[in-house]
Amino acid sequence: MSTKNIYLFKVSIRDTQLNKEIPVNSFKQLFGEIINKESKNGALELTYQSAEPMMLDIIENTDEYLFARLNRKRPNNSMQKRNYNTFETTDVLAPDEVGSNGVEWFTYCILGYSHGVLSIVNSKGAPKEGALARVFSRHNSKYSLETDPIPNQNLINELLNGNAPEINRVQVDIAQPNAQILKELFGFSDTEVLETVSRNTSSLVFEVKPQFRRALTTDPDLVTRLIRAFQQNRKKYKSVLLSGKKNSGERQRQYDLYEEYFKYPISVTEYHQENGRKIENDKDSIQKEYRRNMMNVYNEYKDIILAVSNR
């Protein structure tokens, strides 16, 4: 199982001739016109032929959203194919195949047509969120697309300004804790042991939980003071994650106090076990898991995301 981060962006499309932002309810029509006219075998080219290929695979294009895969060609000379029985290596693609074929890095994204919020999974080597702008720069330059990250502080402010905020859990990560911190935590004073553990410890993660079916605090003033205290002591901690909600009756959400922009980790199962052997899951099942996780994150944070992005 691997962990990936989902990042959220507010998408804006401008009419370049009128220098005017177009309404979100026009997004589907604009994307649909390009997809219908320019796509081939369910894919759009995002670069010109003189550049290294970047592609957009249209997986689902419904009335509500576009679920797609962003792809970038990987240099053939950065990879090799190996036979693990003989240890022999060969090129992934033969030299005469490289011009018209390629192996790609890729990632998944979802653009909601009703709210103009883009969800994208970070993946090493794959295109970033800005690649979506190429749909218009490549195929309809009358329009330009821009992506702005959702500021994490705006989401934290939603918690602070809630009608009945509560905090239910706090997870703190301290980078390279010194021996004094470990002494106070473990409650013993063997200096040699503490110094050895401290020297070999990269971080210390601890979690504060409430009593069963209770909250750590539902006092708005204490919620604010707790958040501000962690923010003011940022240099002391590697990360601080809060679990809470801005109103009673809502689902609990996670807030990262130190991230500049909103992100949310998801877990994707890429392998399974068969007779004690590690077997890769097929791409379709992994793709479905990405889609499900991405939709779940958006639906869970939808009300806050739309509020902070003015949608």
Side-chain angles (χ1 to χ4, degrees), residues 138-155:
R138 176 71 174 82
H139 299 289
N140 187 354
S141 59
K142 181 184 175 183
Y143 299 96
S144 64
L145 183 147
E146 299 174 356
T147 52
D148 294 309
I150 304 293
N152 192 52
Q153 184 58 48
N154 289 5
L155 295 171

Side-chain angles (χ1 to χ4, degrees), residues 9 54 70 118 120 127-135 137 145 147:
F9 299 83
M54 194 180 296
L70 282 164
L118 173 71
I120 187 167
K128 305 293 186 182
E129 71 285 347
L132 199 64
R134 295 172 177 265
V135 171
S137 63
L145 183 147
T147 52

Side-chain angles (χ1 to χ4, degrees), residues 40 45-54 73 99 138:
K40 185 190 302 182
E45 190 173 25
L46 299 182
T47 50
Y48 293 95
Q49 292 186 354
S50 59
E52 281 297 306
M54 194 180 296
K73 185 179 180 180
R138 176 71 174 82

Side-chain angles (χ1 to χ4, degrees), residues 154-165 224 228 246-247:
N154 289 5
L155 295 171
I156 296 170
N157 287 340
E158 286 291 316
L159 173 63
L160 291 171
N161 298 328
N163 293 325
T224 300
R228 296 299 184 224
K246 62 187 179 73
N247 295 307

Side-chain angles (χ1 to χ4, degrees), residues 173-193:
D173 187 342
I174 302 175
Q176 297 179 320
N178 58 38
Q180 182 61 33
I181 291 176
L182 295 176
K183 177 181 178 180
E184 293 175 359
L185 178 68
F186 295 143
F188 54 79
S189 56
D190 188 319
T191 303
E192 184 177 358
V193 170

Side-chain angles (χ1 to χ4, degrees), residues 296-307:
N296 286 345
V297 170
Y298 171 74
N299 288 330
E300 182 174 345
Y301 287 86
K302 178 170 65 175
D303 55 336
I304 297 179
I305 292 166
L306 295 183

